[in-house]
Amino acid sequence: MDGQLRRLALSAAFSPDSARLGRALRELNPDRDDLLRFVPRLSAAGQARLLRDPRVLMPVRDSLAAHGWRWLALGDTDYPPLLADLDDAPGVLAVRGDPAVLSAPQLAMVGARHASADGLDNAHRFARALAGAGFTITSGLALGVDGAAHRGALAAPGRTLAVLGCGPDRIYPARHGALAEAIVEGGGAVITEFAPGDGPLARHFPMRNRVISGLSLATIVVEAAPRSGSLITARTAAEQGREVFAVPGSLHNPFSKGCHRLLRDGANWLESVEDVLQAFGDFRRVIDDSPALNTDRPALLRHFTSGVNDLDALCRRSGLGMAELADRLAELELEGHVKRARGGYVIHR
């Protein structure tokens, strides 16, 4: 059985709980291990039958592959390293376009679907300038700010990455089908953690948003209502240890209220491209703290994810016995690489 069919079968069996699959793939290999070994890791809603007979998915694989889709599993060379650092990293990503763009330096840009004219102009202008400076602009292909950001990056000309909240067999919203094609043709990519047949359900979009921020060095919020998906993305970015920028706006614009709240809570002020470029030191910190990107650091650190790492999880990921693991952790703590936290260890910032 080829690796692509294996990855599709895992994606379809676990979807929409791709993070559960990601945790399984930190211990199991999609190429070497029998797919039946993944069955105990499925949730109650999982589809074990797809792991017992993946061949039923061959027509789906062939149809999507003919349109340029391929599947990357956590642990594959092309899997984006910053995303791999997350505790809830997607197990499998469906990718259409250049997979190399997933590992390029990215800035997420999000905002209101019903953005004002100023908001759309700001999104387009900032995306164009930042893409021209060498960043890949990552967003969610939604109406409003997302679409303006993608188009601004393409106008640079630069590369942009669209993260879907549905399966790879459809583009949502449908009116952005031509934009998705332009993104791929422009050297970017369209990706999703969801399986074929998964629709754009409301519960999928917070999951998609963590991928947008998780791929990126920083998240830029252009316009946002006080309660919006954009603020969820900003909060997720902060929890992931990434920088957050917010564009100030008019006091009379209801979509400025979310950005003003972020600024009050400590987000970076974004008024010009220089405000982003001055944050290179913070971006460097994100890279330096990434276990997936820093292979010259102590080997055990490669098995750390963001947040608290408990000893049992570190044993499973590293293959070390508990006694040897304890010795290694003591050394790392003395060297200042990690520190103790309730429930385990965290990477020292």
Side-chain angles (χ1 to χ4, degrees), residues 54 81 128 167 207:
R128 182 172 182 172
M207 299 164 67

Side-chain angles (χ1 to χ4, degrees), residues 28-342:
L28 300 172
N29 186 289
D31 295 309
R32 294 194 299 268
D33 288 309
D34 191 313
L35 291 183
L36 294 180
R37 292 192 62 188
F38 287 87
V39 171
R41 311 298 182 94
L42 290 168
S43 67
Q47 299 190 57
R49 63 182 181 84
L50 297 177
L51 300 180
R52 295 190 178 99
D53 186 13
R55 292 171 298 177
V56 299
L57 292 170
M58 289 178 66
V60 176
R61 178 205 58 187
D62 294 344
S63 174
L64 289 170
H67 289 88
W69 287 96
R70 58 175 295 195
W71 289 266
L72 298 177
L74 182 63
D76 289 348
T77 302
D78 289 335
Y79 192 95
L82 287 183
L83 197 62
D85 288 338
L86 304 183
D87 293 328
D88 57 354
V92 169
L93 295 172
V95 181
R96 182 173 178 230
D98 184 0
V101 75
L102 275 69
S103 300
Q106 297 172 51
L107 294 175
M109 189 170 293
V110 297
R113 285 176 171 79
H114 302 289
S116 68
D118 282 342
L120 296 175
D121 180 67
N122 283 334
H124 190 281
R125 180 166 53 87
F126 279 123
R128 182 172 182 172
L130 291 167
F135 291 102
T136 294
I137 303 301
T138 299
S139 196
L141 202 68
L143 302 177
V145 165
D146 288 20
H150 290 306
R151 292 187 179 95
L154 292 171
R159 296 192 299 178
T160 182
L161 179 64
V163 184
L164 301 179
C166 59
D169 50 340
R170 66 184 297 181
I171 294 296
Y172 180 83
R175 71 179 76 176
H176 275 175
L179 177 57
E181 292 295 326
I183 288 171
V184 173
E185 292 172 4
V190 179
I191 72 169
T192 181
E193 67 179 306
F194 298 104
D198 286 345
L201 304 179
R203 66 175 182 271
H204 290 174
F205 290 95
M207 299 164 67
R208 176 205 64 174
N209 293 348
R210 90 183 189 293
V211 174
I212 292 173
S213 59
L215 287 163
S216 306
L217 295 166
T219 292
I220 297 168
V221 182
V222 178
E223 281 189 345
R227 294 182 179 180
S228 64
S230 299
L231 293 192
I232 293 174
T233 308
R235 184 178 69 247
T236 302
E239 291 171 350
Q240 293 167 342
R242 313 295 164 82
E243 294 297 308
V244 177
F245 291 82
V247 178
S250 168
L251 296 175
H252 305 292
N253 179 2
F255 292 117
S256 295
K257 292 182 178 179
C259 289
H260 293 163
R261 174 182 295 177
L262 289 174
L263 291 168
R264 287 195 301 271
D265 290 344
N268 295 283
W269 184 282
L270 179 56
E271 202 170 61
S272 68
V273 172
E274 285 68 33
D275 293 326
V276 174
L277 300 182
Q278 287 174 4
F280 267 116
D282 297 312
F283 299 161
R284 184 76 252 170
R285 173 188 57 76
V286 172
I287 294 170
D288 288 343
D289 287 349
S290 166
L293 284 172
N294 288 280
T295 55
D296 58 340
R297 302 178 79 194
L300 182 56
L301 290 181
R302 300 174 198 170
H303 301 288
F304 274 71
T305 59
S306 60
V308 177
N309 295 261
D310 66 70
L311 295 180
D312 288 338
L314 288 171
C315 276
R316 290 194 304 271
R317 296 172 196 155
S318 66
L320 298 174
M322 188 62 75
E324 185 178 358
L325 175 65
D327 288 342
R328 299 272 188 94
L329 287 171
E331 291 175 6
L332 292 179
E333 189 174 12
L334 286 172
E335 294 168 359
H337 292 295
V338 302
K339 61 181 180 180
R340 294 174 189 263
R342 180 175 295 179

